[in-house]
Amino acid sequence: MVARVIPVDPFDLVVFGGTGDLARRKILPGLYRRFSAGQMPRESRIIGVARKAMTREDYRAVVAEAIGEFVAPERRDGEVERAFLDCIDYVAVDVGGDAGWSELSALMREGVVRAFYFSVGPGLFGPLADRLHAHAIADTDARVVVEKPFGNDLASARALNATLAAYFREDQVYRIDHYLGKETVQNLMAVRFANILFEPLWNAQFVDHVQITVAESVGVNGRGEYYDRAGAMRDMVQNHLMQLLCLIAMEPPFRFEPDAVRDEKLKVIRALDPVRSDEIVRGQYRAGATTPAYREEAGDPDSLTESYIALKVHVSNWRWKGTPFYLRTGKRLRARTSEIAVTFKEPPHSIFGEGESWKENVLVIRLQPNEGMNLRVMIKEPGPGGMRLKEVPLDMSFAEALGGEGGADIPDAYERLIMDVIRGNQTLFMRGDEVEAAWAWTDPVIAGWEERGDRPQPYDPGSSGPEDALMLMHRDARRWREIRD
Ligand code: BG6
């Protein structure tokens, strides 16, 4: 089945940080894929901006190289690539000074959507916004796209929000959390709110607990300096895992539209209890046979930053009181796998008697790899021999179910999110108050372990994390699901 593609309106997208890592890996290859799928109109322009003096041709070569490196060979096509490169322009701009701004201004066209992707450090948001206004480049309908980290605590997030608010209305600001652009994450909302099956059971009366796992097999890979200041709590929990938690726990929004969805997510964040110090486990990976220790990668032999964290989280509201949410994420773990598992309670009475190998129903929403859903149900073991129970998975792989031959053409999170910016749809972007509420919950957790001088526990690369994380579950008579491909 070929995905239905509705072209967006023609646009001028200015990418500040146009030669940076994110632009090369995600933004430009993603735009190429949307172009080749017919979603990005040929009349659109992508204007790369960086400090370096370069001609348009030089920059087109950078873009071509990025496509060569990050677009799958089967998605490439010489003619399409040439047409895409025709849409690319470049201007060297001194963000803090005046050079280049009038050239940029001259390139912008009337009558098309204007979007500005701030793919630069947050320290430049203010100067960029300021110059865009001073040179009248951002019109009243312009959109700005900003990346994480959106601050590193509540105070800095507030300051960033204030900086942006001085120049742009909230409906012009698109704060990216790329987890919200993942296909299965959106499917989570479809599953919950487009089916009658799950929602009546989706509460503390029927759900025993929820596990959210985002495991990575890679280390901090050259990002040691940033990561060592952030750690897993700031890098992953405050944003990605928090967003997943919100989508699982939120009330049905009255409509699938930006503020209705974001209002409900915000209520979840506000309902979170402070995390107790005995309900957090932090870890740090050791050296392996062929891999360096975290401290070596981070460049600090005494670093106390966590590369792994597990937490037990309580959502104190009518729906969820009494159902814990266990969150964990870490680097250099056994496999790269992200999933949400909702474990339901036992039926109130077993008619099959003691000793049956009964297991709870578990709904697993697999975010990556192999996106799909799986529901564990009990059936009778086939054949003679009496009534014996057996668990079977009701399995749905999205690629197989939707893709026909070759699997579905599932757009990467960035592709989808950039197209949403052009469409002016903020549903999958974080609102300023959501980000602040998430920091307001995160800050005391971090302050707590800093005050106590907590040391992360070492764990082996390729493992499931530190031993104490197992205990977090065991003492509640529960178990983590296995981390595997
Ligand atoms: C980023 C984090 O936001 O998400 C990285 O900064 C992490 O540390 C990455 O590796 C994970 O994203 P994905 O899409 O590969 O799961």
Side-chain angles (χ1 to χ4, degrees), residues 277 280 282 304 443-455:
S277 60
I280 312 173
R282 296 165 67 236
L304 293 180
D443 279 1
V445 183
I446 296 176
W449 74 57
E450 283 178 353
E451 269 160 35
R452 292 190 304 274
D454 270 5
R455 308 182 74 78

PDB file of all heavy atoms in Angstrom, residues 277 280 282 304 443-455:
ATOM      1  N   SER A 277      13.672   9.386  46.654  1.00  0.00           N
ATOM      2  CA  SER A 277      15.072   9.048  46.368  1.00  0.00           C
ATOM      3  C   SER A 277      15.283   7.537  46.296  1.00  0.00           C
ATOM      4  O   SER A 277      16.164   7.062  45.588  1.00  0.00           O
ATOM      5  CB  SER A 277      15.993   9.665  47.417  1.00  0.00           C
ATOM      6  OG  SER A 277      15.645   9.177  48.679  1.00  0.00           O
ATOM      7  N   ILE A 280      14.684   5.804  42.559  1.00  0.00           N
ATOM      8  CA  ILE A 280      15.520   6.183  41.409  1.00  0.00           C
ATOM      9  C   ILE A 280      16.773   5.320  41.448  1.00  0.00           C
ATOM     10  O   ILE A 280      17.373   5.169  42.513  1.00  0.00           O
ATOM     11  CB  ILE A 280      16.083   7.616  41.503  1.00  0.00           C
ATOM     12  CG1 ILE A 280      15.008   8.614  41.870  1.00  0.00           C
ATOM     13  CG2 ILE A 280      16.815   8.027  40.248  1.00  0.00           C
ATOM     14  CD1 ILE A 280      15.573   9.996  42.126  1.00  0.00           C
ATOM     15  N   ARG A 282      20.436   5.219  39.368  1.00  0.00           N
ATOM     16  CA  ARG A 282      21.280   5.808  38.328  1.00  0.00           C
ATOM     17  C   ARG A 282      22.478   4.900  38.083  1.00  0.00           C
ATOM     18  O   ARG A 282      23.006   4.302  39.024  1.00  0.00           O
ATOM     19  CB  ARG A 282      21.779   7.190  38.752  1.00  0.00           C
ATOM     20  CG  ARG A 282      20.664   8.204  38.924  1.00  0.00           C
ATOM     21  CD  ARG A 282      21.140   9.427  39.675  1.00  0.00           C
ATOM     22  NE  ARG A 282      22.109  10.194  38.923  1.00  0.00           N
ATOM     23  CZ  ARG A 282      23.323  10.500  39.356  1.00  0.00           C
ATOM     24  NH1 ARG A 282      23.756  10.100  40.538  1.00  0.00           N
ATOM     25  NH2 ARG A 282      24.135  11.207  38.611  1.00  0.00           N
ATOM     26  N   LEU A 304      30.210  12.047  37.714  1.00  0.00           N
ATOM     27  CA  LEU A 304      29.116  11.399  38.456  1.00  0.00           C
ATOM     28  C   LEU A 304      27.824  11.420  37.630  1.00  0.00           C
ATOM     29  O   LEU A 304      26.729  11.208  38.142  1.00  0.00           O
ATOM     30  CB  LEU A 304      28.877  12.118  39.787  1.00  0.00           C
ATOM     31  CG  LEU A 304      30.006  12.026  40.823  1.00  0.00           C
ATOM     32  CD1 LEU A 304      29.631  12.779  42.095  1.00  0.00           C
ATOM     33  CD2 LEU A 304      30.322  10.567  41.147  1.00  0.00           C
ATOM     34  N   ASP A 443      13.780  19.185  37.990  1.00  0.00           N
ATOM     35  CA  ASP A 443      14.789  19.912  38.785  1.00  0.00           C
ATOM     36  C   ASP A 443      14.980  19.355  40.203  1.00  0.00           C
ATOM     37  O   ASP A 443      16.111  19.087  40.611  1.00  0.00           O
ATOM     38  CB  ASP A 443      14.433  21.405  38.877  1.00  0.00           C
ATOM     39  CG  ASP A 443      14.856  22.184  37.634  1.00  0.00           C
ATOM     40  OD1 ASP A 443      15.394  21.562  36.702  1.00  0.00           O
ATOM     41  OD2 ASP A 443      14.631  23.406  37.595  1.00  0.00           O
ATOM     42  N   PRO A 444      13.910  19.160  40.981  1.00  0.00           N
ATOM     43  CA  PRO A 444      14.124  18.682  42.355  1.00  0.00           C
ATOM     44  C   PRO A 444      14.704  17.274  42.401  1.00  0.00           C
ATOM     45  O   PRO A 444      15.415  16.925  43.348  1.00  0.00           O
ATOM     46  CB  PRO A 444      12.718  18.675  42.971  1.00  0.00           C
ATOM     47  CG  PRO A 444      11.825  19.354  42.018  1.00  0.00           C
ATOM     48  CD  PRO A 444      12.505  19.477  40.711  1.00  0.00           C
ATOM     49  N   VAL A 445      14.424  16.467  41.376  1.00  0.00           N
ATOM     50  CA  VAL A 445      14.977  15.106  41.353  1.00  0.00           C
ATOM     51  C   VAL A 445      16.502  15.208  41.241  1.00  0.00           C
ATOM     52  O   VAL A 445      17.247  14.588  42.000  1.00  0.00           O
ATOM     53  CB  VAL A 445      14.414  14.290  40.160  1.00  0.00           C
ATOM     54  CG1 VAL A 445      14.945  12.870  40.195  1.00  0.00           C
ATOM     55  CG2 VAL A 445      12.897  14.313  40.161  1.00  0.00           C
ATOM     56  N   ILE A 446      16.946  16.049  40.328  1.00  0.00           N
ATOM     57  CA  ILE A 446      18.392  16.207  40.125  1.00  0.00           C
ATOM     58  C   ILE A 446      19.017  16.872  41.352  1.00  0.00           C
ATOM     59  O   ILE A 446      20.062  16.439  41.853  1.00  0.00           O
ATOM     60  CB  ILE A 446      18.668  17.037  38.845  1.00  0.00           C
ATOM     61  CG1 ILE A 446      18.148  16.271  37.633  1.00  0.00           C
ATOM     62  CG2 ILE A 446      20.161  17.359  38.702  1.00  0.00           C
ATOM     63  CD1 ILE A 446      18.267  16.993  36.313  1.00  0.00           C
ATOM     64  N   ALA A 447      18.332  17.903  41.861  1.00  0.00           N
ATOM     65  CA  ALA A 447      18.875  18.597  43.042  1.00  0.00           C
ATOM     66  C   ALA A 447      19.021  17.603  44.185  1.00  0.00           C
ATOM     67  O   ALA A 447      19.994  17.653  44.953  1.00  0.00           O
ATOM     68  CB  ALA A 447      17.950  19.746  43.441  1.00  0.00           C
ATOM     69  N   GLY A 448      18.076  16.678  44.302  1.00  0.00           N
ATOM     70  CA  GLY A 448      18.099  15.683  45.388  1.00  0.00           C
ATOM     71  C   GLY A 448      19.360  14.840  45.331  1.00  0.00           C
ATOM     72  O   GLY A 448      20.069  14.686  46.331  1.00  0.00           O
ATOM     73  N   TRP A 449      19.674  14.301  44.161  1.00  0.00           N
ATOM     74  CA  TRP A 449      20.855  13.433  44.132  1.00  0.00           C
ATOM     75  C   TRP A 449      22.149  14.239  44.216  1.00  0.00           C
ATOM     76  O   TRP A 449      23.148  13.749  44.714  1.00  0.00           O
ATOM     77  CB  TRP A 449      20.827  12.402  43.012  1.00  0.00           C
ATOM     78  CG  TRP A 449      21.071  12.847  41.594  1.00  0.00           C
ATOM     79  CD1 TRP A 449      22.161  13.499  41.094  1.00  0.00           C
ATOM     80  CD2 TRP A 449      20.210  12.611  40.473  1.00  0.00           C
ATOM     81  NE1 TRP A 449      22.031  13.694  39.744  1.00  0.00           N
ATOM     82  CE2 TRP A 449      20.846  13.152  39.331  1.00  0.00           C
ATOM     83  CE3 TRP A 449      18.978  11.982  40.309  1.00  0.00           C
ATOM     84  CZ2 TRP A 449      20.277  13.092  38.053  1.00  0.00           C
ATOM     85  CZ3 TRP A 449      18.423  11.917  39.045  1.00  0.00           C
ATOM     86  CH2 TRP A 449      19.055  12.479  37.931  1.00  0.00           C
ATOM     87  N   GLU A 450      22.069  15.495  43.737  1.00  0.00           N
ATOM     88  CA  GLU A 450      23.275  16.323  43.894  1.00  0.00           C
ATOM     89  C   GLU A 450      23.530  16.620  45.377  1.00  0.00           C
ATOM     90  O   GLU A 450      24.652  16.536  45.845  1.00  0.00           O
ATOM     91  CB  GLU A 450      23.140  17.607  43.080  1.00  0.00           C
ATOM     92  CG  GLU A 450      23.380  17.318  41.591  1.00  0.00           C
ATOM     93  CD  GLU A 450      23.224  18.530  40.683  1.00  0.00           C
ATOM     94  OE1 GLU A 450      22.803  19.604  41.153  1.00  0.00           O
ATOM     95  OE2 GLU A 450      23.508  18.388  39.491  1.00  0.00           O
ATOM     96  N   GLU A 451      22.452  16.951  46.100  1.00  0.00           N
ATOM     97  CA  GLU A 451      22.615  17.221  47.543  1.00  0.00           C
ATOM     98  C   GLU A 451      23.129  16.002  48.292  1.00  0.00           C
ATOM     99  O   GLU A 451      23.973  16.106  49.169  1.00  0.00           O
ATOM    100  CB  GLU A 451      21.271  17.609  48.168  1.00  0.00           C
ATOM    101  CG  GLU A 451      21.005  19.094  48.152  1.00  0.00           C
ATOM    102  CD  GLU A 451      19.518  19.383  48.309  1.00  0.00           C
ATOM    103  OE1 GLU A 451      18.824  18.649  49.045  1.00  0.00           O
ATOM    104  OE2 GLU A 451      19.055  20.350  47.658  1.00  0.00           O
ATOM    105  N   ARG A 452      22.600  14.852  47.928  1.00  0.00           N
ATOM    106  CA  ARG A 452      23.019  13.631  48.633  1.00  0.00           C
ATOM    107  C   ARG A 452      24.395  13.158  48.180  1.00  0.00           C
ATOM    108  O   ARG A 452      24.977  12.265  48.767  1.00  0.00           O
ATOM    109  CB  ARG A 452      22.006  12.495  48.380  1.00  0.00           C
ATOM    110  CG  ARG A 452      20.652  12.702  49.004  1.00  0.00           C
ATOM    111  CD  ARG A 452      19.824  11.426  48.907  1.00  0.00           C
ATOM    112  NE  ARG A 452      19.687  10.952  47.528  1.00  0.00           N
ATOM    113  CZ  ARG A 452      18.747  11.365  46.685  1.00  0.00           C
ATOM    114  NH1 ARG A 452      17.860  12.261  47.061  1.00  0.00           N
ATOM    115  NH2 ARG A 452      18.678  10.904  45.456  1.00  0.00           N
ATOM    116  N   GLY A 453      24.898  13.728  47.094  1.00  0.00           N
ATOM    117  CA  GLY A 453      26.184  13.307  46.551  1.00  0.00           C
ATOM    118  C   GLY A 453      26.126  11.878  46.024  1.00  0.00           C
ATOM    119  O   GLY A 453      27.091  11.115  46.114  1.00  0.00           O
ATOM    120  N   ASP A 454      24.965  11.502  45.455  1.00  0.00           N
ATOM    121  CA  ASP A 454      24.790  10.132  44.930  1.00  0.00           C
ATOM    122  C   ASP A 454      25.810   9.800  43.851  1.00  0.00           C
ATOM    123  O   ASP A 454      26.107  10.633  42.997  1.00  0.00           O
ATOM    124  CB  ASP A 454      23.413  10.020  44.262  1.00  0.00           C
ATOM    125  CG  ASP A 454      22.362   9.592  45.235  1.00  0.00           C
ATOM    126  OD1 ASP A 454      22.676   9.471  46.430  1.00  0.00           O
ATOM    127  OD2 ASP A 454      21.222   9.397  44.776  1.00  0.00           O
ATOM    128  N   ARG A 455      26.260   8.574  43.883  1.00  0.00           N
ATOM    129  CA  ARG A 455      27.179   8.111  42.848  1.00  0.00           C
ATOM    130  C   ARG A 455      26.428   7.100  41.989  1.00  0.00           C
ATOM    131  O   ARG A 455      25.797   6.190  42.539  1.00  0.00           O
ATOM    132  CB  ARG A 455      28.399   7.433  43.473  1.00  0.00           C
ATOM    133  CG  ARG A 455      29.093   8.284  44.533  1.00  0.00           C
ATOM    134  CD  ARG A 455      30.311   7.577  45.067  1.00  0.00           C
ATOM    135  NE  ARG A 455      31.391   7.586  44.104  1.00  0.00           N
ATOM    136  CZ  ARG A 455      32.173   8.641  43.866  1.00  0.00           C
ATOM    137  NH1 ARG A 455      31.989   9.766  44.547  1.00  0.00           N
ATOM    138  NH2 ARG A 455      33.117   8.592  42.982  1.00  0.00           N
TER     139      ARG A 455
END
